[in-house]
Amino acid sequence: MVKNSKNKILFATLLLSVFGLTGCNTGSESNTGKTALTNQFDGKKMLPVGSSIGHIEILSDKAYDLLAKNLEIKVEANNFNWMEGPLWVEKGQFLLFSDVPQNTVYKFKPGEGTSVYLTPSGSTNLYPDDYSKGSNGLNLDKDGNLLIMQVGDRRIARMKSDVLNPEADFETVQSHYQGKRFNSPNDVVLHKSGSLFITDPPYGLKKMLKDPKKELPYQGVFRIDPDGTPTLLDDELTFPNGIDLSPDGKTLYVAVSDGRKELNNAGIHAYDLDDNGMVSNKRMFINGTHLIDLPGEQGNFDGMAVHSSGIIFATAPGGVWLLTPEAEVLAKIRTTQKNGNCTLTTDEKTLYITSDGYLLSVNLK
């Protein structure tokens, strides 16, 4: 097999185009018309693009600082498999997001719709017999280059080409800790120092915690310095997932998506972060284990986005929660779907949510 060849990439892209861009809204009648669409991956009925879905539950009037009354949750694109890693690219005025099982990053540009941006995105045959899942978390480094949490390749990678001219050609930022491969890097946040903070759960391994290819005995939270040096910050979280920083960079938030109620661990942890990038004062910021698997509370704690006000938009049971820095729940954006992650545009006027097979948006004040 030709590794990362341009012919392979062009052929894969052509196949995606011929067969309806595998999970993206192409502007076809089936996606944008008035009739429901059947998701090609799970057979579920989907609302067409432009529809409203779910509702917003207000729990405190403080929520109106960011949310207008009578807001709608809008379907921007549909017919995907499992979506993750949304990233707003200000330079191009578009959104990127991963479809993890499809090994593809898509681009959504308001007013133009959705198209394939990058494939393969996370599984490139870096090692023989690796599993085939694609990219998950996406971010930009301090120089504006695209960082990709490559689940299949089990590494943090950087796309070599400019973000406006994507090519599936990558360099490794880091893939090992103390000589052992990461499990499957999941999410990433950039610190003002240029360091990266990442989570490394086992979701990309077929048997997860019991997979024979698992090399690390834990699921870590790591700091990756600009020179690539990895530092383990926490090895005690069972399924670390989404990760983000407070606006002042002094608090690190890590979501744990462990649905085992006996462990009482589904929620968000917080850490104090010092000037050297080390953590202390670990604490459970919010615990939602009691909601796991209840009717109407679909999903778990996953990705998050932190507003400049300090308000946290966190995917959680039932939708996306708005949380103050004191862990008060102000509102819940109830999408009716399991939600992977969310992000804000640079001007913080729009929240985008990757919601199972949907890309959703909510306008903010």
Side-chain angles (χ1 to χ4, degrees), residues 61-101:
D61 286 345
K62 298 175 190 175
Y64 292 124
D65 290 343
L66 293 177
L67 303 178
K69 294 183 179 180
N70 302 316
L71 268 183
E72 70 169 345
I73 308 166
K74 183 181 178 182
V75 176
E76 298 286 5
N78 56 19
N79 201 19
F80 299 90
N81 195 330
W82 178 254
M83 302 156 64
E84 272 282 4
L87 169 69
W88 179 256
V89 180
E90 181 69 14
K91 181 178 176 180
Q93 291 292 297
F94 57 73
L95 182 83
L96 299 178
F97 59 92
S98 301
D99 191 324
V100 183

Side-chain angles (χ1 to χ4, degrees), residues 42-354:
D42 58 20
K44 294 179 181 178
K45 294 294 183 182
M46 305 200 79
L47 294 171
V49 170
S51 300
S52 296
I53 189 172
H55 70 282
I56 297 177
E57 178 185 1
I58 301 296
L59 301 174
S60 169
D61 286 345
K62 298 175 190 175
Y64 292 124
D65 290 343
L66 293 177
L67 303 178
K69 294 183 179 180
N70 302 316
L71 268 183
E72 70 169 345
I73 308 166
K74 183 181 178 182
V75 176
E76 298 286 5
N78 56 19
N79 201 19
F80 299 90
N81 195 330
W82 178 254
M83 302 156 64
E84 272 282 4
L87 169 69
W88 179 256
V89 180
E90 181 69 14
K91 181 178 176 180
Q93 291 292 297
F94 57 73
L95 182 83
L96 299 178
F97 59 92
S98 301
D99 191 324
V100 183
Q102 298 308 301
N103 199 16
T104 299
V105 171
Y106 290 96
K107 179 177 81 171
F108 169 75
K109 192 170 178 82
E112 296 183 11
T114 311
S115 59
V116 171
Y117 176 82
L118 187 66
T119 185
S121 65
S123 178
T124 67
N125 298 310
L126 185 66
Y127 286 78
D129 303 319
D130 268 349
Y131 301 129
S132 60
K133 287 190 176 182
S135 58
N136 195 308
L138 307 171
N139 214 322
L140 300 176
D141 68 13
K142 60 183 177 59
D143 297 318
N145 301 305
L146 183 64
L147 296 167
I148 305 176
M149 304 297 278
Q150 294 189 320
V151 177
D153 286 352
R154 298 170 65 179
R155 64 174 173 170
I156 304 105
R158 181 184 291 110
M159 187 174 70
K160 292 183 180 180
S161 59
D162 185 83
V163 70
L164 298 184
N165 298 287
E167 294 184 12
D169 188 13
F170 312 104
E171 60 184 359
T172 299
V173 175
Q174 188 52 262
S175 58
H176 289 69
Y177 178 68
Q178 294 184 341
K180 296 181 179 180
R181 292 183 74 188
F182 288 138
N183 299 310
S184 53
N186 184 282
D187 204 359
V188 55
V189 63
L190 176 69
H191 188 261
K192 59 186 178 182
S193 66
S195 293
L196 309 175
F197 291 85
I198 75 158
T199 55
D200 186 38
Y203 287 120
L205 304 175
K206 284 187 177 179
K207 295 183 180 180
M208 292 200 286
L209 296 176
K210 298 180 180 180
D211 197 282
K213 295 181 181 180
K214 191 178 192 303
E215 298 181 17
L216 292 170
Y218 45 77
Q219 294 62 249
V221 177
F222 294 90
R223 188 188 73 244
I224 312 296
D225 291 336
D227 66 357
T229 301
T231 299
L232 178 64
L233 300 178
D234 192 344
D235 61 0
E236 296 179 344
L237 300 180
T238 51
F239 285 86
N241 202 324
I243 191 167
D244 214 331
L245 290 161
S246 61
D248 62 7
K250 295 182 178 180
T251 305
L252 180 70
Y253 300 106
V254 178
V256 173
S257 52
D258 194 332
R260 295 173 291 182
K261 289 192 173 183
E262 66 274 16
L263 296 182
N264 194 35
N265 203 29
I268 299 173
H269 289 264
Y271 308 76
D272 292 343
L273 192 65
D274 67 19
D275 292 339
N276 296 316
M278 295 304 294
V279 296
S280 62
N281 189 28
K282 175 183 175 181
R283 58 211 181 262
M284 178 65 87
F285 177 72
I286 192 162
N287 192 325
T289 306
H290 62 288
L291 297 174
I292 300 298
D293 296 330
L294 292 182
E297 303 292 349
Q298 69 287 332
N300 207 322
F301 292 86
D302 201 323
M304 66 188 93
V306 180
H307 191 272
S308 60
S309 65
I311 298 297
I312 304 158
F313 291 82
T315 56
V320 178
W321 296 9
L322 275 69
L323 297 156
T324 69
E326 295 75 38
E328 179 186 357
V329 184
L330 303 182
K332 295 183 179 181
I333 301 172
R334 292 194 172 273
T335 65
T336 74
Q337 311 294 311
K338 293 181 178 180
N339 305 285
N341 209 331
C342 59
T343 197
L344 294 159
T345 52
T346 304
D347 62 9
E348 299 185 324
K349 295 295 186 183
T350 305
L351 175 75
Y352 286 105
I353 307 167
T354 49

